[in-house]
Amino acid sequence: MAKNLVIVESPAKSKTIKKFLGSNYTVVASNGHVRDLPKSQMGIDFDNDFDLKYITIRGKGPVLASIRKELKKANKVYLATDPDREGEAIAWHLCYALKLDPQKTKRITFNEITKNAVKQGLKNPRDIDMNLVDAQQARRSLDRMVGYSISPVLWVKVKSGLSAGRVQSVALKIIADREAEIDAFIPEEYWTLDVELKVPGYKKPLIASYKNGKNRISAEQVDQIVSDISNSDYEVKDIKITNRTKKSPLPFTTSTLQQVASGKLNFSTQKTMQVAQQLYEGVAVAGHGTIGLITYLRTDSIRISEEADQACKNYIQEAYGPEYVVKEEKKSQNSEKKIQDAHEAIRPTNAALDPEEIKGSLTREQYRLYKLIWSRFIACQMATAVYDTTQIESECAGHSFRSNHQSLRFPGFLAVYEEGRDDDQEEVADPLPPLSEGDLAHPEKCEKEQHFTQPPARYTEATLVKAMEEKGVGRPSTYASIVSTIQDREYVVKKEKRLAPTPLGEVVTQLMVERFNDVIDVEFTAGMEDKLDEVEAGKTDYRTVLSDFYQGFHREMLDAEEALKQTRIKVPDEVTDEICELCGRNMVIKLGRFGKFLACPGYPECKNTKPIVEHMPGRCPKCGGGMLKRKSKKGYAYYACENSASCGFLTWDVPTDKDCPTCGQTLFKKSGKGRMRPFCINETCPEFVPEDKRGYRKKTSQTEASDDEAGKKKPAAGRKKKS
């Protein structure tokens, strides 16, 4: 019997696909890319039409050897890597590295990892799309040119270890520009005025707001209005009763999923993509076997296949009734925007697979994200929500006031999916009193309130992704890596969950603006993305794109090197509120061999330094002092008593804000990710959980359940020697 070899890039994906195919198929994984440009050099031959020098990635030799063994048994080879540019490039590199015979090698793609989708892909094999490969090569080359050319300039002129990226630098500039707007913002004072009206025969007051354009008035104006309306009745001038509709949302794209998961689930962009990848590649679900639960997660399309559309509507009709099915076809709100419509929107592979039914088969993060994707998909095919709205216009002493009321008549898609955070509760408005035009109401209370205009908010990870998408910077597959890279490089830090540039980030941005204006220009970068799309569509040769970019970029590099020849740029120190006890100056943050520390700016006159500590909740179990978070020389976090000199208590376990119900001492929990139940480390308490010889807290009935919930394995006692 002929053997067929299917090569994918992910081991998890290979396990799922194996269960769909018979014994006639062998499924292996390449573990991502097998070839890449060398790390030690540019890898681009500028003098030979931008030829690229690829080498086998270190460590991939055994993987390729294992695949070659399976190749000897196979009569046909199917390359089933992801259905995007990166996946196409991996398939192309596999052909070269394995020296695959073009006659017996085919490329297959599927948008979801289900049995039907995989078998349908096998029925429609094709050749490798070199346009997709060239688009990936062009992006990789552009990023390599920028990174390997500008980064050495930053090492010499700013600080060693820095990096510059073609798209990450633009994302950093977007954040820095917003910070500049905030710094330049001048707040303006304004006042609002609300009046509580007493309506005869109605117990609760009717709230009426002063109406004046945007309802912003000065302090003098509000005092004059209050004086005018005091002891005067209000007359109802007009009552408008209308319906307001709220359309169901569009299905998720990569960027909208990252934005909503951030707001509703408090997931970072990186975490959203990691969990979505797990749901896409396959999860063992009780009663269903191993199955991919969602479609491909890197897409900017909102298209839904006819089959999925009909399945969704059938589910809605059975679960909610025919009146809940959308009456008209939805149109994209971004129909004029250029998108890569190769994939569908992100949706569940089976609309009838309710999240509650499979909750026991998923981790907490998987369940929450799958529920979000499932709810949004079902909602997008549901009817519009309808509200009854009432607007009451009243007048007093020549001043106009307005009262608004809204009540839900028909929930429509809101029966499944609510915009905003899960914990946001929509206030239920009190019913309005039965009023008619000409009725009078007496004021009981006037409430004037002072406000100040607010500067634009700093970007969160989600709003940064939204801004990049709107500006055309980056693509769905790159958003998460861009956001994480600028934080890993310490160009950006999170302050109250919002992104702010560090002094280092501002210095790097300023240098890029002055010397590499094209590279960091938002419109230029967006235009480059459009050119890559043209390469993918076969309209432009990728070497032409590289040549056009390199000519201008090379001139900028030469100019920058000449201008910065004798220059060394100093990164300003970050000043803190910590006061140096020796000289009274505000201490600054410095970076040393073992991380950040506090230092006196008066060096060398004052050489005082301190470690940066973070105050933790809870109390020391030995002396009752406060707990501090510290870092070891190797960068590991540990927790110590603030009275370290006299007490000496320290632990790897994390102090919590909870107290032991038995002894009243602070409870601790194991470090690491996952939901872990706190435990007591007070040696005199009956609930005490001791450590084993390796410093791990022993498992007891109190901690056993939490370890299982977290999915954590016990630490291995030691590695077995190879025979």
Side-chain angles (χ1 to χ4, degrees):
M1 185 179 291
K3 286 286 183 181
N4 301 294
L5 179 64
V6 179
I7 306 177
V8 298
E9 73 274 56
S10 160
K13 191 174 175 181
S14 69
K15 289 179 184 178
T16 305
I17 294 175
K18 273 180 187 176
K19 298 182 180 181
F20 300 151
L21 304 176
S23 58
N24 198 30
Y25 288 85
T26 300
V27 186
V28 296
S30 69
N31 293 301
H33 277 278
V34 294
R35 293 201 311 158
D36 196 6
L37 301 174
K39 286 186 177 181
S40 58
Q41 53 183 279
M42 180 74 73
I44 304 171
D45 190 345
F46 298 106
D47 298 325
N48 194 19
D49 202 16
F50 296 90
D51 280 348
L52 303 180
K53 177 185 177 182
Y54 288 111
I55 61 170
T56 301
I57 296 172
R58 179 175 293 181
K60 288 302 175 79
V63 175
L64 292 171
S66 175
I67 297 176
R68 287 190 187 100
K69 287 182 182 179
E70 299 297 336
L71 278 173
K72 293 176 181 178
K73 310 172 193 175
N75 292 332
K76 267 191 177 179
V77 179
Y78 295 99
L79 301 170
T81 47
D82 283 346
D84 59 7
R85 295 175 186 170
E86 209 70 28
E88 204 75 18
I90 292 174
W92 179 69
H93 285 302
L94 283 168
C95 284
Y96 187 93
L98 297 170
K99 298 179 181 178
L100 297 178
D101 183 356
Q103 299 300 319
K104 67 174 189 178
T105 303
K106 289 293 180 182
R107 172 85 166 107
I108 61 171
T109 58
F110 30 81
N111 195 47
E112 59 189 59
I113 305 179
T114 58
K115 188 172 184 177
N116 289 339
V118 172
K119 293 203 167 182
Q120 190 64 32
L122 287 168
K123 290 179 182 177
N124 298 282
R126 60 170 174 80
D127 295 330
I128 288 176
D129 187 339
M130 285 308 299
N131 290 332
L132 284 172
V133 175
D134 287 346
Q136 190 274 343
Q137 289 192 100
R139 175 182 287 279
R140 188 78 181 92
S141 302
L142 290 169
D143 293 344
R144 177 58 68 98
M145 281 186 209
V146 172
Y148 273 47
S149 298
I150 301 180
S151 294
V153 175
L154 298 180
W155 301 343
V156 174
K157 303 303 177 185
V158 183
K159 179 184 168 187
S160 62
L162 299 183
S163 73
R166 186 179 61 87
V167 182
Q168 79 178 48
S169 298
V170 179
L172 176 59
K173 183 176 184 296
I174 292 172
I175 295 171
D177 288 347
R178 175 58 57 88
E179 196 70 17
E181 288 181 50
I182 295 171
D183 292 340
F185 182 81
I186 300 174
E188 296 179 5
E189 179 194 40
Y190 69 96
W191 290 74
T192 56
L193 176 63
D194 291 336
V195 181
E196 292 184 4
L197 301 178
K198 176 64 177 175
V199 179
Y202 191 70
K203 293 181 180 179
K204 295 186 177 180
L206 175 67
I207 307 298
S209 300
Y210 178 72
K211 186 179 72 172
N212 177 30
K214 294 183 178 180
N215 297 334
R216 293 182 177 179
I217 48 180
S218 66
E220 293 78 13
Q221 287 175 312
V222 77
D223 289 339
Q224 183 61 49
I225 295 168
V226 171
S227 175
D228 292 344
I229 65 177
S230 59
N231 301 320
S232 299
D233 286 338
Y234 288 67
E235 182 182 356
V236 176
K237 290 294 186 182
D238 187 30
I239 299 176
K240 293 180 182 177
I241 300 175
T242 57
N243 290 335
R244 185 178 76 85
T245 59
K246 187 176 183 181
K247 290 187 176 181
S248 55
L250 296 169
F252 279 133
T253 62
T254 302
S255 65
T256 55
L257 175 62
Q258 290 171 349
Q259 293 165 42
V260 176
S262 174
K264 277 180 162 286
L265 310 181
N266 200 25
F267 281 10
S268 66
T269 54
Q270 197 77 10
K271 183 174 183 179
T272 299
M273 297 306 285
Q274 287 172 353
V275 178
Q277 186 74 29
Q278 295 166 10
L279 296 175
Y280 165 70
E281 290 182 341
V283 178
V285 177
H288 296 272
T290 302
I291 184 175
L293 292 176
I294 65 170
T295 54
Y296 192 55
L297 61 151
R298 297 177 183 89
T299 177
D300 52 7
S301 170
I302 59 160
R303 182 173 58 82
I304 298 172
S305 68
E306 292 183 8
E307 182 183 358
D309 177 80
Q310 192 56 51
C312 183
K313 289 176 178 176
N314 291 342
Y315 174 84
I316 295 168
Q317 184 160 335
E318 292 177 11
Y320 296 93
E323 68 275 15
Y324 279 84
V325 179
V326 67
K327 300 298 187 293
E328 57 184 20
E329 293 301 318
K330 297 178 71 65
K331 292 184 179 180
S332 169
Q333 295 174 352
N334 301 315
S335 57
E336 296 180 1
K337 179 187 160 190
K338 294 180 182 178
I339 61 173
Q340 301 170 23
D341 202 36
H343 316 301
E344 292 185 58
I346 301 173
R347 62 168 177 81
T349 56
N350 182 358
L353 206 55
D354 191 293
E356 303 305 322
E357 294 179 15
I358 63 173
K359 185 175 182 179
S361 301
L362 306 178
T363 65
R364 182 170 181 267
E365 287 77 14
Q366 289 172 345
Y367 163 73
R368 295 179 72 201
L369 190 64
Y370 176 70
K371 182 180 180 182
L372 182 65
I373 294 170
W374 181 87
S375 301
R376 176 88 167 215
F377 176 64
I378 298 298
C380 81
Q381 297 300 318
M382 294 183 76
T384 297
V386 182
Y387 293 87
D388 289 329
T389 63
T390 304
Q391 183 175 285
I392 301 174
E393 303 281 353
S394 57
E395 188 176 291
C396 179
H399 298 288
S400 298
F401 290 80
R402 177 177 292 168
S403 304
N404 293 310
H405 178 273
Q406 178 174 280
S407 60
L408 184 63
R409 175 192 284 188
F410 175 67
F413 75 92
L414 295 176
V416 175
Y417 180 83
E418 181 67 73
E419 298 286 358
R421 294 180 62 89
D422 285 338
D423 53 4
D424 285 345
Q425 296 288 333
E426 185 171 321
E427 293 184 9
V428 179
D430 295 324
L432 286 173
L435 290 171
S436 302
E437 291 184 24
D439 286 352
L440 299 178
H442 186 73
E444 284 194 329
K445 184 179 179 183
C446 288
E447 289 189 358
K448 57 180 183 177
E449 188 174 357
Q450 183 186 37
H451 305 272
F452 290 92
T453 54
Q454 297 298 311
R458 286 185 175 127
Y459 289 106
T460 62
E461 288 192 3
T463 55
L464 177 61
V465 167
K466 183 179 181 181
M468 288 194 294
E469 183 186 35
E470 289 173 349
K471 296 175 187 294
V473 175
R475 283 297 181 261
S477 59
T478 63
Y479 294 142
S481 62
I482 292 167
V483 174
S484 62
T485 297
I486 58 177
Q487 293 179 74
D488 293 342
R489 300 292 182 188
E490 296 188 342
Y491 295 152
V492 167
V493 293
K494 277 188 179 178
K495 293 183 178 179
E496 297 178 350
K497 298 185 179 181
R498 294 186 176 272
L499 302 172
T502 62
L504 175 62
E506 290 178 338
V507 166
V508 170
T509 300
Q510 185 62 31
L511 175 63
M512 294 289 291
V513 169
E514 291 176 357
R515 299 300 168 193
F516 305 100
N517 192 48
D518 280 350
V519 172
I520 205 168
D521 182 70
V522 173
E523 292 184 5
F524 180 84
T525 304
M528 188 58 64
E529 295 291 353
D530 292 338
K531 289 182 180 179
L532 293 176
D533 292 343
E534 290 178 4
V535 173
E536 179 177 332
K539 298 177 181 178
T540 304
D541 182 68
Y542 86 96
R543 296 174 191 268
T544 302
V545 173
L546 296 181
S547 176
D548 292 344
F549 174 81
Y550 182 69
Q551 289 176 15
F553 177 66
H554 185 59
R555 283 195 301 271
E556 284 189 335
M557 276 300 308
L558 294 176
D559 293 342
E561 289 172 356
E562 181 64 29
L564 297 172
K565 223 175 232 185
Q566 305 298 326
T567 306
R568 176 76 184 181
I569 303 171
K570 187 178 185 325
V571 180
D573 294 322
E574 186 176 347
V575 181
T576 70
D577 295 329
E578 189 80 19
I579 302 298
C580 175
E581 58 269 24
L582 299 183
C583 67
R585 295 182 177 94
N586 284 73
M587 302 191 80
V588 297
I589 296 176
K590 296 280 188 180
L591 184 64
R593 287 178 58 199
F594 305 116
K596 293 181 178 179
F597 64 94
L598 292 173
C600 181
Y603 182 87
E605 292 84 10
C606 180
K607 299 180 180 179
N608 186 24
T609 62
K610 289 182 184 179
I612 295 177
V613 295
E614 179 183 346
H615 290 271
M616 300 296 294
R619 305 172 302 283
C620 172
K622 284 184 69 176
C623 70
M627 294 296 298
L628 303 175
K629 180 179 180 180
R630 298 183 182 273
K631 279 194 176 181
S632 68
K633 290 184 177 180
K634 293 187 177 180
Y636 297 108
Y638 68 94
Y639 304 88
C641 177
E642 63 181 357
N643 305 316
S644 56
S646 57
C647 175
F649 174 80
L650 57 87
T651 179
W652 297 110
D653 301 317
V654 185
T656 71
D657 57 359
K658 297 181 175 63
D659 293 335
C660 176
T662 304
C663 68
Q665 292 278 22
T666 295
L667 291 176
F668 287 69
K669 68 177 183 179
K670 291 182 179 180
S671 61
K673 297 180 180 179
R675 296 169 62 193
M676 302 182 191
R677 188 172 300 173
F679 51 82
C680 187
I681 61 173
N682 177 19
E683 296 182 6
T684 62
C685 178
E687 300 294 331
F688 169 61
V689 179
E691 292 181 349
D692 61 18
K693 293 180 180 179
R694 294 164 296 162
Y696 293 98
R697 294 285 167 184
K698 293 180 180 178
K699 186 178 287 188
T700 67
S701 58
Q702 189 181 24
T703 60
E704 190 167 2
S706 64
D707 287 338
D708 291 341
E709 287 175 2
K712 299 289 181 185
K713 296 180 180 179
K714 293 181 181 179
R719 297 186 178 181
K720 294 181 180 179
K721 292 183 179 179
K722 293 182 179 179
S723 58

